[in-house]
Amino acid sequence: MMRNPPLPLLPGNDFDRKIGQTRFHKSQHFGNVHKLSMLLDKRLPGIGGAPMPHVPHARWPSIYCRGDVAALPAWLAFDKETLVFDAYFKEALQEVEGSPFLPRYVKIYFYLEDGTIQVQEPRKVNSGIHQGVFISRQRIRFPPDSRSETFVDIVDLNIGYEVELYGRVFKIVNCDRFTRNFLNRMGIMVPDPITMPEDPYMERRFKMQEALQPKRPKKISFDETQFLKYDRCVLRFYGYWDDRESEDGILHKLVLLFYLADDTVEVKEVLPVNSGRTGKTLLARCRLLKEFKSVPTPGEHDAFTVLNVLGQGSRNKRYIFDALNCGARPASFYSQRDLAIGAVINVMGRCVVLCDCDEYTKEHYRANFGLEDFTPKPYPPEDDVVFDSVPRPELPPYNGYGSHEDSSYNCRTIYPVAPVKDLKQFLRKDREGMDSRVLRFSAQMISNIPHLSKRPFIISFYLADDTLTVFENVRVNSGFQGGMFFSRDKFVKPGENLFGSEPPACYSKEDCYIGALLELRDFKFLLTGADEYALRYMELNCSEFPKSNIRQILQKVRERVRPVYKQFVSEQLGVEALRSGRAPYKVLRRALTGLLGTQITEHEVVTVARRFRVQSETPLDCEAIRRLAHVELKRYLFTAFERLLETLRHLDAAHSGRLTRKQVYTALRGARVPMDVELTNKVLDCMPQQEEGQINYQDVINFLDYDHFPTAPAEPVSLQHDLSWMSHAPTVEASEVAVDAFLGELGLEEDLRASCGDAAKPCGSAAVVPADAPGLLGAGWGEDGDGPAHRAPGRYTVTFAGLD
């Protein structure tokens, strides 16, 4: 029962075909043929074996008669059988003159087993088109405007047909022999092949190339007799090329090979073992010119010569060729007659001297040229230096764009590159842990305006790249904003030529010290002080900072004080300093500046004061260290002393009960004992040293165990300050200087004794007496006993008249 065709296919306009249906399975595409499971090649019904509704019939029910149909399915009967057609399609070209279209040749493959089609474009050299598979293998439907929903079949492909595949019209012009026989057997007539259309652009290009060919091409002569006679016959010479006249040049030892078959030359270099150089071939095999002027330009050795060129632009050009080769220049090449021991060969502008040859070469010249003398020539000594250095050309003046380093690198190289930074300095002076490698100084602005000169600044010098930053540490209600005054950058010294060929000098680490005057971009700053890290770093690296080198400073003071030593001690330092052995920093500063004047800087005075400063505080004893350790352990509730003892015993492989200081320190830090690094080091300093500097680790456990060995509670302190070296480095202004240690370091007492003679002999206004003699500076102060009863060892024995 069919539905009414005019009615739309909507619910209610059709009958229910499932009434009375008992089978609802889907038809299978596989079946058994002769007990063999395979895919069936036939149209299958729908659900329950009912025919599929609204499915059009095939256009051609069968090509063969019913009785002649093959029993095997198509995928098995026509396996690996393909019809091949030659076709083309035209592609429009609008921007190419004289070529309105581009014919593209393809091959159409029709696979008989499943009716699929594949289009492939053969590859052409230098076509400029991505060629290969044009349409992948698939079944292709007819275009929508053809009013056919079927696929392109075998009857749609034949010579002379035009088939449209995905919007492109392919013209079939030919097929192979198998395709022609197969279609003929099916009853389809195959016409004769059609000529392929030519490519207009390729025809035009071929005509241009044909017109360029000379009428009388140059003949290349080849002596076949010479090749057959001297094939595989090679002459071998040993020589050298002396390149030491150029920069970084060396003496190259070479081997020259002359091939008798075609008179070609090959030069190879003999590289020594582990020379670090690669590439043995100096000259590839070729005919070697005797006169070498320059590298030949492209087209210089062509088969023809152009005499004249007429016309302008790329159109209407006419070339006139020299058919007689009037412009050809005769070239002279090296032959076997030009080679001999001691001869100088011009190898592309390089003078190669031949010094020796092998036995075959000697026999060849002895038999053909009658030579008998083959004495080798010596090689020049390799240690001779003949290079004459040429000064580098001066760079052009700086134009103000970018930095000086950037401009200099752009002038030295063709391609612009970034300036190379000093990587070694960066790796050595960059921040490492708590070591910042930054020197910070307090500074004061020098200005005629009073309120500007009171502005405090902090100048930081970065040792990694020699840059500076200026920061204003503004006071409250000062009227200034404060903050970063100058960002991190290099600063040029005053008076430098900014637009010269050489880069101007910038401030370095030697220019930063206490008392230095820095002029940074028209602002003058006076360095008035430095932090403890900067002073300590400069003292530890005194070889780089001469202002912190105590030996150089004392040597300078010693040379200046030597003639006026007595007056310096009596007048500059004073009697009070000699009696107590100490003097305030201001007294020492006034004495040194009064003696040396401008020859000594404020930083050098600070260095001397720090070197001979008096320790005002006594260090903590072991009992105080133990109480501090117990306070820290109790605060963090640490009780794992047994586990710590097990760790120490595990490290003691010899079971001696002793470990090195490093091993004990590693165990304490690894066990996460809640003590600071400074406190840990102080605890280990309190431990008695055993043999070879080892420590009894049981004493360390007893020292830290506050349960079995308790101590009195101690007041918490700042461990990072009170236990570190910073606690013993007070500020210079508030410290006292050990005058006796300073004068003893100068070592001028013995010189004074030798210059004055006997101890009791008067010497000017002063006299020298023994250290143990009674008197003003002997065992007591004066006859009446006024003053201290004795003096400390190492004090000075200089007495002055009129001081009683």
Side-chain angles (χ1 to χ4, degrees), residues 5 13 52 80 290 387 403 486 496 675 724 742 777:
N13 296 336
M52 297 291 292
K80 297 182 181 179
K290 291 183 177 181
F387 169 69
S403 62
F486 285 138
E496 295 291 331
M675 292 192 305
S724 65
F742 170 67
L777 292 181

Side-chain angles (χ1 to χ4, degrees), residues 313-594:
S314 60
R315 303 179 181 179
N316 301 327
K317 268 192 175 182
R318 294 195 306 168
Y319 302 92
I320 302 177
F321 301 105
D322 184 11
L324 301 178
N325 292 330
C326 298
R329 299 179 182 179
S332 179
F333 299 93
Y334 279 104
S335 63
Q336 57 179 333
R337 300 177 180 271
D338 302 318
L339 305 180
I341 297 178
V344 180
I345 306 302
N346 185 5
V347 180
M348 298 296 181
R350 298 167 176 82
C351 296
V352 176
V353 182
L354 304 182
C355 299
D356 198 1
C357 60
D358 61 352
E359 292 298 330
Y360 174 79
T361 305
K362 295 177 181 179
E363 292 294 334
H364 177 79
Y365 277 95
R366 187 180 291 113
N368 293 275
F369 298 96
L371 297 180
E372 295 295 339
D373 186 12
F374 298 100
T375 304
K377 300 294 182 182
Y379 287 89
E382 298 184 1
D383 54 352
D384 292 347
V385 180
V386 297
F387 169 69
D388 187 11
S389 60
V390 180
R392 289 187 176 182
E394 186 178 357
L395 293 176
Y398 175 62
N399 56 5
Y401 293 96
S403 62
H404 289 80
E405 293 81 3
D406 192 9
S407 299
S408 62
Y409 272 91
N410 289 336
C411 292
R412 290 191 180 98
T413 59
I414 298 177
Y415 299 100
V417 295
V420 179
K421 297 182 180 180
D422 192 352
L423 186 59
K424 293 183 179 179
Q425 178 184 359
F426 176 78
L427 295 176
R428 287 187 289 105
K429 300 297 183 180
D430 191 24
R431 181 185 183 95
E432 183 178 359
M434 301 299 296
D435 196 359
S436 62
R437 311 288 173 83
V438 179
L439 307 181
R440 294 178 175 86
F441 301 87
S442 59
Q444 178 183 358
M445 181 181 291
I446 305 300
S447 176
N448 296 328
I449 305 176
H451 65 276
L452 294 181
S453 59
K454 297 180 181 180
R455 300 169 64 181
F457 291 90
I458 297 177
I459 297 180
S460 303
F461 184 86
Y462 296 84
L463 298 174
D465 53 359
D466 296 341
T467 55
L468 286 170
T469 59
V470 181
F471 183 86
E472 183 178 2
N473 192 10
V474 65
R475 297 187 179 95
V476 181
N477 297 329
S478 63
F480 297 98
Q481 183 177 0
M484 188 63 66
F485 193 79
F486 285 138
S487 59
R488 185 174 177 178
D489 195 4
K490 288 187 176 183
F491 292 85
V492 182
K493 293 182 178 180
E496 295 291 331
N497 186 13
L498 300 179
F499 299 97
S501 300
E502 297 296 332
C506 299
Y507 283 104
S508 60
K509 57 185 178 182
E510 291 80 5
D511 302 319
C512 297
Y513 55 88
I514 300 176
L517 182 64
L518 306 181
E519 185 175 349
L520 309 178
R521 297 174 184 171
D522 298 335
F523 288 91
K524 295 182 180 180
F525 297 93
L526 177 64
L527 303 185
T528 57
D531 62 351
E532 181 62 27
Y533 174 80
L535 295 175
R536 180 177 173 83
Y537 183 87
M538 297 170 75
E539 291 172 359
L540 294 177
N541 301 273
C542 58
S543 59
E544 302 178 10
F545 301 92
K547 304 296 182 182
S548 298
N549 194 334
I550 189 62
R551 292 185 178 182
Q552 295 183 7
I553 299 173
L554 291 178
Q555 181 63 25
K556 181 168 58 175
V557 174
R558 186 181 298 110
E559 295 297 332
R560 185 67 180 86
V561 170
R562 190 184 303 273
V564 292
Y565 180 71
K566 296 175 294 183
Q567 290 80 2
F568 174 76
V569 173
S570 61
E571 299 176 3
Q572 301 294 339
L573 295 180
V575 179
E576 186 65 27
L578 295 177
R579 289 178 178 177
S580 62
R582 300 181 179 183
Y585 167 73
K586 296 182 179 180
V587 175
L588 178 65
R589 179 180 179 276
R590 183 175 62 250
L592 293 179
T593 54

Side-chain angles (χ1 to χ4, degrees), residues 27 94 114 150 168 207 292 295 362 378 393 419 474 479 507 520 523 537 559 641 650 741 748 781:
S27 301
Q94 300 179 0
D114 54 0
T150 57
R168 294 185 182 271
K207 291 181 181 179
F292 177 79
V295 179
K362 295 177 181 179
V474 65
Y507 283 104
L520 309 178
F523 288 91
Y537 183 87
E559 295 297 332
F641 297 105
H650 177 73
L748 296 178
W781 294 104

Side-chain angles (χ1 to χ4, degrees), residues 76-126:
L76 188 59
F78 301 110
D79 185 25
K80 297 182 181 179
E81 293 186 1
T82 309
L83 306 183
V84 182
F85 299 92
D86 295 334
Y88 72 92
F89 69 94
K90 293 183 179 181
E91 189 173 1
L93 297 178
Q94 300 179 0
E95 299 180 357
V96 181
E97 181 186 1
S99 303
F101 63 90
L102 172 65
R104 299 179 63 175
Y105 311 120
V106 298
K107 284 185 175 294
I108 301 177
Y109 298 92
F110 184 85
Y111 297 90
L112 295 173
E113 55 181 339
D114 54 0
T116 56
I117 296 176
Q118 182 183 7
V119 181
Q120 187 172 3
E121 185 177 6
R123 299 181 184 273
K124 290 185 179 180
V125 182
N126 297 331

Side-chain angles (χ1 to χ4, degrees), residues 593-617:
T593 54
L595 177 67
L596 298 176
T598 58
Q599 297 181 5
I600 190 170
T601 60
E602 187 71 22
H603 193 101
E604 294 175 334
V605 177
V606 172
T607 302
V608 174
R610 287 171 55 84
R611 174 64 176 84
F612 302 103
R613 63 176 175 265
V614 178
Q615 304 293 343
S616 59
E617 298 180 4

